[in-house]
Amino acid sequence: MTMPRRRRRWVLQAGIAISFSMLFLAEPCLGQTQGRGADQRCLNCHSQKHITTLSREEREMMVVVPESGLPERKNPASLFVEQNLLTQGFHGNVACEQCHTGVENLPHAARLSEPQCETCHQQEVADVSRSRHAKVIRQSEPRPPRCWDCHGAHEIRLQSKVNPREKIRVCASCHQKYSGQMAGLENGGVLVRSYQDSVHGRRKPGTTDVGATCEDCHGHHEILPVQDPRSRVHRLNIPETCGRCHPKIRKEFEATVHAEVARRHDPSVRAALCNDCHTAHAITHINTPEFMLDIVSECGVCHKDLYRTYRETYHGQVHQLGSVRAARCSDCHGTHNIRRP
């Protein structure tokens, strides 16, 4: 004879309660020793790794509004909160209820609303709302980047996802995964791979640091499209952006004919800026044969007639044969300090 559904539900609920009670006796919550107060109610369940192994039916016994009708939870591991990371992080003194609304009364609903970070971080959220990421957030496809995707969830701390050594991995994880899923979005996978092989992406000798991270060029929260005049990577802002790390070169460049043309803001005349010669993501070292052989053709993009006559000279012919010792444009005109004759 089968057990009635109501009794079966009661037995299952009681079993879960007993299981968690035994876990609490064997493994006291850290919150008890650190006096997290009201958070202890949350930690009683969410600090136990056993919660990640519960079935959907078992989880429904623990909440007031069941998960029935909702998509299966993709990552049950997110239900577990490691207390050491929580209490030692930047949010160590922030109560659970300040981020997670709707948990004042237990049991709570199966799915809580997303944390409202703007409650405390108004300026940062305002910057994001004007960013290119905001467009993805509004259309919800592909999966929009949230604050916790970059900064971490409960483990927000200095040595977290926003540590310089982790920034590249965080940005790359999305830009590679969602490559080609947005109209007008460049191939993120290609850009990431190009960057990782570049001068900026390689580790500095004897350190774990890279030359420049994504946010050094694109900004932090207010990441704007390259076409936006306010963007750090807008064409006319490139010298200022690169100059933050290369101040001496920027000072030389400001006195050149290229900078003079750029300051006119004449759309009919294209002035050569940093990324025209060095590219954006695939920046190679200036002493590599690839760069030394390519620089002449880079100049030739704008100076077509001069490029044609150069190729007719002895220097030009030897250069075409692959010699890096042949005189190039920069040998006669300079590099960043090019002036009028």
Side-chain angles (χ1 to χ4, degrees), residues 291-297 307 310 313-324 326-328:
F291 182 85
M292 296 171 73
L293 290 172
D294 193 51
I295 191 63
V296 174
S297 59
Y307 181 48
Y310 168 82
T313 68
Y314 169 78
H315 289 154
Q317 293 177 42
V318 174
H319 180 271
Q320 290 179 67
L321 292 174
S323 172
V324 297
R328 302 179 301 277

Side-chain angles (χ1 to χ4, degrees), residues 74 132-146 149 173-183 185:
K74 293 183 179 180
R132 189 170 190 178
H133 285 158
K135 178 181 179 181
V136 185
I137 292 173
R138 285 192 292 269
Q139 68 182 33
S140 298
E141 186 64 36
R143 183 186 178 279
R146 301 297 193 184
D149 291 318
S173 64
C174 278
H175 284 266
Q176 286 181 318
K177 183 176 181 180
Y178 298 113
S179 237
Q181 294 190 29
M182 278 186 65
L185 184 66

Side-chain angles (χ1 to χ4, degrees), residues 49-69:
K49 287 187 177 180
H50 180 65
I51 197 172
T52 66
T53 65
L54 298 179
S55 67
R56 182 177 183 135
E57 185 178 13
E58 289 173 322
R59 291 198 303 267
E60 288 191 351
M61 300 297 102
M62 303 171 64
V63 295
V64 65
V65 179
E67 294 183 292
S68 302

Side-chain angles (χ1 to χ4, degrees), residues 197-214:
D197 292 334
S198 74
V199 171
H200 284 162
R202 293 173 188 159
R203 302 290 186 185
K204 295 179 181 179
T207 72
T208 57
D209 297 328
V210 294
T213 63
C214 307

